[in-house]
Amino acid sequence: APIALHFGTPPRTLQQFLSLAHWDEDRMRQRMHERVANGHGEADAVGLIDETSYLKKGRQTPGVKRQHCGAVGKKDNCTVSVHLAYAAPRGFRVLLDGELFLPEDWSEDRERCRKAGIPQDMVYRPKWKIALELRDRAVANGVPLPWLTFDEGYGRIPEFHQELDRRGQRYVAEVPSNFYGWCKRPEPLHKDHHPEAGKKMKVKSLAASRADDLAAHSPVFTHQSWKDFYIKDSDKGPIVWQAKFAVFYISCQGMPSRPHTLIVARNALDHHA
């Protein structure tokens, strides 16, 4: 409605266009990517991965299910879609792409999908795999994505980090406190198995540790002093956060990743924030 009213168009007209008009979504997406690539590509641009949820009742809306709903912060009957947005330093902002998250029970019920207008080739994929598809599609269409960022809903998945690393993608991600890894790279160890099974890689010595345990007990953190970072001014005064950092190797299927940087932060006035 706000978009329609801004241009002096009745909201229902725009609603009818979006819901009833037949248009080529793939071509529209590609045109958008091309316009961003040719007119707004910047070396410091950031791709933002996030999801949107809509409260919905009933069973007919595509993908509707009782699941985590970010709009209300709890489980509820809703639909969820994954999105990729683009932000450039000069103030340019645009939504690049999005896909419906199709729950597994929907994916397995093809008759229900057919009645809801869901294409036969659309199946369940974890949200992080949808996010990866959105990123790959934009890059394939020429959109420069020097950086990506995402919250712990995606950052908690070691395989997502692994796939981004394989693509040479730089990113800054939020990870949960129980995210596992090492501050010192463990030594790989080959373990022989049955000849038909080949060799399996393992690591020597230390088991992976939680990020919060490393921050509290690892010497690379405890021997550091907190560094203050001014964030912004608020109605209650300046907001200042404190941070420490260390090299960090993500544990993915028991093996260490390439070196990353683990940053731990706290509010300067409220250490539990």
Side-chain angles (χ1 to χ4, degrees), residues 25 29 51 67 80-83 97-108 110 118-135 137 154:
E25 183 176 349
R29 180 194 298 113
E51 59 193 56
Q67 57 192 319
V80 178
S81 52
V82 180
H83 298 275
D97 207 346
E99 285 279 359
L100 174 71
F101 169 68
L102 192 67
E104 288 185 83
D105 53 349
W106 268 87
S107 185
E108 294 167 358
R110 299 318 302 182
I118 297 173
Q120 183 66 22
D121 59 355
M122 186 175 189
V123 297
Y124 163 78
R125 296 103 75 215
K127 295 174 185 176
W128 70 269
K129 285 193 175 182
I130 297 176
L132 199 63
E133 291 172 11
L134 302 184
R135 180 265 174 200
R137 191 154 59 200
Y154 297 83

Side-chain angles (χ1 to χ4, degrees), residues 177-204:
S177 59
N178 63 351
F179 196 63
Y180 279 84
W182 300 266
C183 284
K184 181 179 179 181
R185 182 181 175 86
E187 183 180 347
L189 173 70
H190 285 281
K191 184 174 181 180
D192 291 326
H193 284 272
H194 189 276
E196 293 183 358
K199 292 184 176 181
K200 184 177 181 180
M201 291 291 292
K202 288 192 173 183
V203 294
K204 292 182 180 179

